[in-house]
Amino acid sequence: MASPLSQEFVREFTRTQRPLYLFILAQVGDAIRAEEILQDTNVVLLSKHQQFREGTNFLAWARQVATFEVLQSRQRQRRDKLRFSEEFVTAVANDAAEESDLAELRRKALQECLQALKADDRELIQRRYQPGSSGKELAEDLGRPANSVYQSLSRIRRSLLDCVERRVAQDTV
Amino acid sequence: MNSATRLELLSLVDGLCEGDLSDSQCARLEELVLADAAARRLYVRGIQLHGQLAWDAAGLGDREQLFELELQAASWGEPPNIGTFAAPLPSACRSTENTTNNGLSSATGRWRMLWGSIAALVLCALTIHWWPTASSGPLPGPQHVVVDQVPPEAPGEVVSPGIPSVRLPGERTHVDAAEPTDIGPIIDPPDVRIPQQSLVALIDREIQANWQANGITPAARAEDAEWLRRVHLDLAGRIPTIAEAERFLHSDSQDKRQQVLDRLLDGDEFPAYLSLVWSNLLVGRRPEVNVDALRGYLERQFAANRPWSEVVTHLVTATGDGDSNGAANFLLAHFNNEAVPATAFTARVLLGRQLHCSQCHQHPAIASWDQDEFWQFNACFQQTRIEEQLLVDQETGERRRVRSLVDEPGVAGSYYETLRGVMKVAYPGYRGEEIPLSPEVNRREQLAQLMLSGDENDVARAFVNRMWEHLLGHGFTLQVDDLGPHAPVSHPELFNELTRRFVASGYDVRELVTAICQSEAYQLSSQTESVPELDDPDRGTLPLFSRAYLKRLSPEQMFHSVLVASGARGLDLYHSRDLLDLRQSWIEQFFSTDETEENTELTTFDGSLPQALTLMNGELVRDVTDLDSAEFLGSVIRESDSDVEKIRRICLATLSRYPTTSELNSIRQLLRGYVRQRSERSVPPRIAAAEGLSDLYWAYLNSAEFSVNH
């Protein structure tokens, strides 16, 4: 029988989910696989929760576990199914880690930027990211050519990216 | 990392998060990211933004709260069911493929030229400001401000205008082809009904939808003068004459653009110019074959609006010598080196496919385009050989070599060496369809049929893209003759539909050209306040046609236009033997051919300095601007009443527009200064004024504005 999780652990664990997911995603480039690896990581984190010492950096610890899980997952994957090369994964891991530290900051900025979007654009991007939705389904729902919907999404993402960048820059100055 | 790379990278990231990045795109993404720390950072930010949006459904959900509740509950009992942590994530968005890796950065500064006279320097200032996109300023940085976005216009539905007139294949104006009809079966256009919407409405709807999707406001409608010059250069290969320009600019008719379009399309110059354009593509500018016969053949076909499928069939199946069968010159020009160039040219020019790369290796992006495919295609030409005869000309007594294409029934394949050095043989086929190996089967006829089979084939696709590029400055792909799954298409639905309709119309060239010329995109100005970042094909984005792209004049257009600007009357640019010879010798300065496996043509005609110097100091321009010999200039100087009128006429003759007020004022000031200066050296004012006007004329002919189709 596992010992109960401490309050502190639950709080840290919860807070870490998003940055951890983003950290993994940048290395595998695939939302579904990133979710799978996150789950594997979570299993390890939960089973080793007693190793966690309060006051230490939970996210750093979790990232170590995740890095290992990314590797494991790559080894399980057939070679030809691998998206990215070893070199690529190693190269982005550092940036992915640094960026995941800023996840909360970026989340807030993104909230504001989403509010600043034109209503139409906001609705479009929200419908796209509704759980279970996809660009293709969205295009069918809207009755617009798929290509044009993709282009719109692409444009909105670009402006969100720029907007988040600006807000974060302002906040940190 | 420049802005083109940035755009390319972001579009690859889009493709990645939509889950449909091809292997080659993935490799490209890696390449970009590994090359540059800034690119690496951008990649991580781009993909993590996607992750953020996915994580909490673009701000609608809050998964952390959910988790916390779940974990709190679980921590008092059994370890939590980890499966529930994974809320269903949106699985796919799709690629937009907005940009590609060809940084076609045009050295825009190259339109500027070095000028040698005072008048030219001032004019330079005048015309450069005219040229917003030609200045080589710093790259536009990212300018997306979310709150500042220009609201797109209301998504107005384009109403399809009534029932369009449908021309059934049988009703096509039937003009008996003057061409040998025994050189292969003519594929009957399939009997497919044309869908409801007119071509023009279809084009406009799709182009507009893309503008809206990208939040782009198109350029204003082109001024009459700008449009008139463009349509003459595109359809007749020359600028409008001063009379044509005056008539059009002063006309109040509502449908005057349509009238000009009709006049040009029904005129003699359109088929002649189109045949020139296509003969350049098919055999180049310095061929060793009878290019006049080829042009004559094409011209007759275009004049009678024969189906393009018929032309392609003639070109691919031609037999006989190039003098009596004009179509034979295409293959005659490329039958060297085991018909490898013939294979490559047929694929590239007629099918829009860069097959020649797979002559020696597999296509880097498309696994099915391998060596075998190239050599199977090549084997289609292996029943044919060239026969040479020495003929004695009856009149001159000169001996000439005459080459003919002769089909010889046989079963030979093509032999080639693989990358491992193994000799292999390929038997005739086209895209996986095999052609029976039998002496009775004429492989080239079979090939033509296979190329033209299907209601959306490569022949039609390649032609549509070519004509689209010819008229609108860019094809649907960044490289007009490189189609395939690896090449992103700017308007996939439109491109497919145009191709289908072109086939369904019986490959009706005139209908396609007319529709593009009537489309909204063709009416737009080339001038914009600023170039939209998303529509800048010169910097590697796919074209969105939100303005008219600048097209540099071809050598032929340049030659014709200088002659037209000289005011010479009654010129037959396409049939006068003297002019054709003059043009050929002028053009040959810029071109040379390599008889290699690809028969590549090298050109120095690129708007560079040597070309500018050839133009400025060459006989062509000198004859036209020389006071003693120039007919037009003389008449302007003698007959026009005032200085203002003289300047206006010179501007109209060269640039097909009237000078702007400020332009006019500066020129007058300049002229007065020049006359005063010369008077001090006791040159009579009348002569000095004429010299000044001659300078002005010369400067206009050498201006950036003249050398570009805008």
Side-chain angles (χ1 to χ4, degrees):
Chain A
M1 197 62 163
S3 56
L5 303 171
S6 72
Q7 288 272 0
E8 174 73 9
F9 184 91
V10 170
R11 198 166 43 246
E12 289 287 352
F13 181 90
T14 314
R15 264 217 316 251
T16 313
Q17 288 294 302
R18 177 193 302 261
L20 210 49
Y21 171 69
L22 297 177
F23 171 67
I24 298 167
L25 178 65
Q27 296 173 75
V28 298
D30 177 349
I32 303 289
R33 276 198 59 212
E35 281 273 348
E36 287 165 8
I37 298 174
L38 177 63
Q39 286 187 45
D40 295 344
T41 309
N42 282 343
V43 172
V44 177
L45 291 177
L46 288 167
S47 65
K48 297 190 174 174
H49 71 97
Q50 282 159 320
Q51 291 180 10
F52 173 65
R53 298 279 162 265
E54 277 184 29
T56 60
N57 189 335
F58 188 98
L59 181 55
W61 176 58
R63 273 200 299 251
Q64 279 177 4
V65 176
T67 303
F68 183 73
E69 289 302 321
V70 168
L71 260 173
Q72 288 261 304
S73 153
R74 284 177 64 85
Q75 278 164 10
R76 281 198 303 271
Q77 203 93 12
R78 281 186 43 195
R79 273 198 78 96
D80 54 345
K81 287 268 174 103
L82 284 178
R83 283 248 83 150
F84 295 129
S85 66
E86 195 97 39
E87 192 190 359
F88 178 90
V89 175
T90 322
V92 298
N94 250 336
D95 290 78
E98 281 174 29
E99 285 294 316
S100 65
D101 278 334
L102 299 174
E104 183 54 22
L105 205 60
R106 291 191 188 280
R107 183 191 67 82
K108 282 191 190 135
L110 180 59
Q111 285 287 357
E112 291 168 12
C113 292
L114 280 164
Q115 291 315 310
L117 281 181
K118 284 194 316 244
D120 287 355
D121 284 353
R122 187 169 54 246
E123 204 206 349
L124 193 72
I125 201 91
Q126 282 172 348
R127 288 181 67 171
R128 158 64 184 83
Y129 281 103
Q130 238 165 39
S133 175
S134 72
K136 196 173 183 177
E137 278 173 28
L138 180 58
E140 277 165 17
D141 286 355
L142 295 170
R144 279 173 54 186
N147 182 53
S148 98
V149 172
Y150 300 152
Q151 297 220 7
S152 301
L153 290 172
S154 187
R155 169 179 57 80
I156 300 169
R157 280 199 208 101
R158 275 203 295 275
S159 54
L160 284 175
L161 192 64
D162 289 339
C163 172
V164 168
E165 224 48 58
R166 265 195 313 277
R167 300 224 173 211
V168 170
Q170 276 167 14
D171 287 352
T172 44
V173 164
Chain B
M1 188 172 52
N2 62 28
S3 65
T5 319
R6 183 183 145 87
L7 265 179
E8 185 191 356
L9 180 60
L10 285 178
S11 124
L12 289 168
V13 170
D14 271 323
L16 181 67
C17 67
E18 308 291 356
D20 64 357
L21 211 58
S22 72
D23 285 351
S24 63
Q25 286 173 319
C26 202
R28 176 67 182 155
L29 175 70
E30 286 208 4
E31 184 188 339
L32 287 174
V33 166
L34 289 173
D36 180 358
R40 199 165 64 225
R41 183 60 58 137
L42 183 65
Y43 158 76
V44 170
R45 287 185 181 165
I47 191 82
Q48 292 195 348
L49 174 84
H50 168 66
Q52 291 265 19
L53 286 165
W55 186 259
D56 45 26
L60 286 180
D62 188 344
R63 281 173 81 184
E64 272 80 3
Q65 235 176 12
L66 210 75
F67 282 136
E68 197 145 12
L69 288 173
E70 190 114 21
L71 275 168
Q72 297 283 5
S75 65
W76 305 116
E78 294 295 303
N81 173 6
I82 291 150
T84 58
F85 290 147
L89 267 194
S91 58
C93 39
R94 291 193 74 95
S95 152
T96 58
E97 299 190 311
N98 226 346
T99 58
T100 68
N101 54 1
N102 280 358
L104 298 174
S105 76
S106 70
T108 41
R110 67 189 167 206
W111 282 319
R112 300 184 190 175
M113 297 169 179
L114 290 181
W115 292 352
S117 80
I118 316 164
L121 278 176
V122 172
L123 265 175
C124 181
L126 274 173
T127 43
I128 289 293
H129 91 95
W130 185 92
W131 234 215
T133 52
S135 64
S136 50
L139 296 181
Q143 285 167 346
H144 287 280
V145 179
V146 173
V147 285
D148 286 347
Q149 270 177 4
V150 186
E153 282 153 35
E157 281 288 316
V158 180
V159 183
S160 67
I163 302 163
S165 60
V166 175
R167 195 198 283 166
L168 295 171
E171 292 171 7
R172 187 167 335 100
T173 39
H174 243 293
V175 181
D176 281 340
E179 299 311 318
T181 46
D182 60 335
I183 57 170
I186 290 162
I187 312 292
D188 280 333
D191 187 13
V192 180
R193 288 218 170 245
I194 295 168
Q196 305 314 312
Q197 202 174 31
S198 81
L199 270 184
V200 183
L202 170 80
I203 295 171
D204 288 350
R205 190 195 59 198
E206 291 285 328
I207 297 282
Q208 281 169 359
N210 240 325
W211 290 339
Q212 277 172 15
N214 285 284
I216 283 184
T217 314
R221 189 177 155 93
E223 297 280 333
D224 278 346
E226 186 183 3
W227 182 87
L228 184 76
R229 189 174 189 271
R230 177 189 309 161
V231 78
H232 274 81
L233 283 166
D234 287 343
L235 299 182
R238 61 166 177 86
I239 59 171
T241 64
I242 196 166
E244 284 166 337
E246 264 178 333
R247 203 179 320 132
F248 182 75
L249 295 178
H250 296 155
S251 161
D252 293 328
S253 172
Q254 283 295 313
D255 63 341
K256 59 181 183 174
R257 289 194 181 187
Q258 186 58 42
Q259 287 170 12
V260 167
L261 202 52
D262 291 341
R263 171 171 63 76
L264 285 170
L265 287 170
D266 292 338
D268 296 339
E269 287 172 309
F270 169 65
Y273 178 54
L274 203 54
S275 76
L276 180 60
V277 169
W278 274 94
S279 83
N280 285 344
L281 293 171
L282 290 166
V283 299
R285 286 181 166 93
R286 302 195 59 174
E288 308 267 302
V289 290
N290 189 342
V291 69
D292 290 330
L294 176 63
R295 283 184 197 147
Y297 159 75
L298 291 169
E299 187 178 342
R300 287 190 296 278
Q301 294 288 107
F302 287 131
N305 199 28
R306 300 294 301 162
W308 178 246
S309 52
E310 182 180 297
V311 177
V312 169
T313 305
H314 286 164
L315 292 173
V316 172
T317 62
T319 54
D321 69 281
D323 298 346
S324 44
N325 179 6
N329 288 293
F330 168 56
L331 288 182
L332 282 172
H334 303 304
F335 240 77
N336 52 322
N337 292 324
E338 276 88 45
V340 165
T343 315
F345 265 77
T346 306
R348 187 173 62 77
V349 179
L350 299 180
L351 298 166
R353 296 180 62 200
Q354 304 272 350
L355 211 55
H356 57 268
C357 313
S358 52
Q359 177 191 341
C360 313
H361 57 81
Q362 194 174 341
H363 191 282
I366 307 156
S368 63
W369 294 13
D370 53 11
Q371 271 186 294
D372 206 35
E373 190 187 8
F374 180 89
W375 291 103
Q376 281 173 4
F377 198 177
N378 178 267
C380 298
F381 296 102
Q382 298 304 336
Q383 267 180 342
T384 310
R385 64 179 177 83
I386 301 257
E387 207 170 71
E388 279 197 5
Q389 275 182 302
L390 265 184
L391 282 190
V392 182
D393 194 299
Q394 297 284 331
E395 288 168 25
T396 61
E398 257 180 80
R399 280 161 183 268
R400 285 192 310 131
R401 275 191 320 155
V402 173
R403 300 189 307 149
S404 305
L405 290 166
V406 179
D407 277 334
E408 267 184 345
V411 293
S414 285
Y415 295 91
Y416 67 97
E417 204 172 310
T418 66
L419 284 179
R420 294 206 183 88
V422 180
M423 232 17 204
K424 283 185 78 171
V425 62
Y427 290 109
Y430 174 70
R431 305 203 84 165
E433 294 276 344
E434 284 178 20
I435 292 174
L437 260 189
S438 149
E440 283 91 57
V441 171
N442 183 316
R443 292 183 191 171
R444 289 194 289 145
E445 283 172 13
Q446 295 281 321
L447 174 66
Q449 277 183 19
L450 286 174
M451 278 164 57
L452 288 162
S453 60
D455 52 11
E456 211 187 302
N457 58 58
D458 285 348
V459 170
R461 183 173 293 276
F463 187 84
V464 166
N465 208 31
R466 278 274 181 211
M467 292 321 293
W468 188 271
E469 185 220 22
H470 178 80
L471 295 166
L472 292 174
H474 282 281
F476 291 110
T477 48
L478 274 184
Q479 223 181 319
V480 69
D481 52 10
D482 187 11
L483 307 179
H486 61 292
V489 173
S490 62
H491 301 72
E493 282 94 357
L494 177 59
F495 192 17
N496 291 344
E497 187 60 21
L498 280 179
T499 305
R500 271 195 293 276
R501 297 231 192 157
F502 182 56
V503 175
S505 73
Y507 299 85
D508 190 329
V509 175
R510 193 75 58 95
E511 182 182 285
L512 176 71
V513 170
T514 310
I516 300 175
C517 287
Q518 287 172 336
S519 71
E520 185 186 355
Y522 193 77
Q523 316 305 317
L524 298 181
S525 173
S526 59
Q527 287 176 272
T528 48
E529 301 250 319
S530 63
V531 176
E533 205 180 321
L534 293 176
D535 184 12
D536 197 357
D538 285 342
R539 295 196 204 280
T541 75
L542 281 172
L544 297 176
F545 308 103
S546 66
R547 65 180 185 284
Y549 301 120
L550 304 179
K551 297 172 270 192
R552 205 169 30 244
L553 298 195
S554 70
E556 290 85 3
Q557 285 176 323
M558 178 74 85
F559 181 87
H560 297 156
S561 298
V562 171
L563 285 180
V564 169
S566 77
R569 273 164 234 208
L571 290 178
D572 188 346
L573 294 173
Y574 295 100
H575 304 101
S576 148
R577 191 69 255 166
D578 288 348
L579 281 184
L580 291 183
D581 290 344
L582 191 62
R583 186 179 75 201
Q584 186 60 22
S585 59
W586 186 73
I587 282 175
E588 279 179 5
Q589 319 172 70
F590 306 114
F591 289 87
S592 59
T593 328
D594 256 1
E595 199 161 296
T596 58
E597 300 202 311
E598 285 162 29
N599 285 6
T600 31
E601 193 166 65
L602 307 171
T603 178
T604 54
F605 195 88
D606 57 356
S608 61
L609 195 59
Q611 179 213 327
L613 290 172
T614 319
L615 271 180
M616 290 194 315
N617 304 323
E619 284 173 36
L620 186 63
V621 171
R622 202 166 56 230
D623 287 350
V624 170
T625 55
D626 186 42
L627 271 178
D628 295 327
S629 60
E631 203 181 323
F632 166 71
L633 197 57
S635 76
V636 164
I637 290 169
R638 279 192 309 276
E639 290 160 21
S640 303
D641 296 335
S642 61
D643 276 356
V644 172
E645 189 55 27
K646 287 171 189 170
I647 297 167
R648 275 166 60 90
R649 289 190 68 76
I650 289 177
C651 189
L652 190 63
T654 48
L655 303 182
S656 315
R657 64 168 175 87
Y658 291 115
T660 63
T661 317
S662 65
E663 193 179 358
L664 193 62
N665 287 337
S666 323
I667 294 170
R668 290 181 66 194
Q669 233 170 26
L670 207 73
L671 276 177
R672 276 200 295 272
Y674 183 75
V675 170
R676 205 166 40 240
Q677 204 183 21
R678 297 287 281 163
S679 305
E680 283 162 13
R681 302 186 181 184
S682 42
V683 174
R686 198 175 50 83
I687 303 222
E691 284 174 358
L693 287 172
S694 170
D695 263 9
L696 172 68
Y697 189 38
W698 179 90
Y700 270 142
L701 282 179
N702 283 288
S703 66
E705 191 177 342
F706 183 80
S707 66
V708 172
N709 181 1
H710 43 81

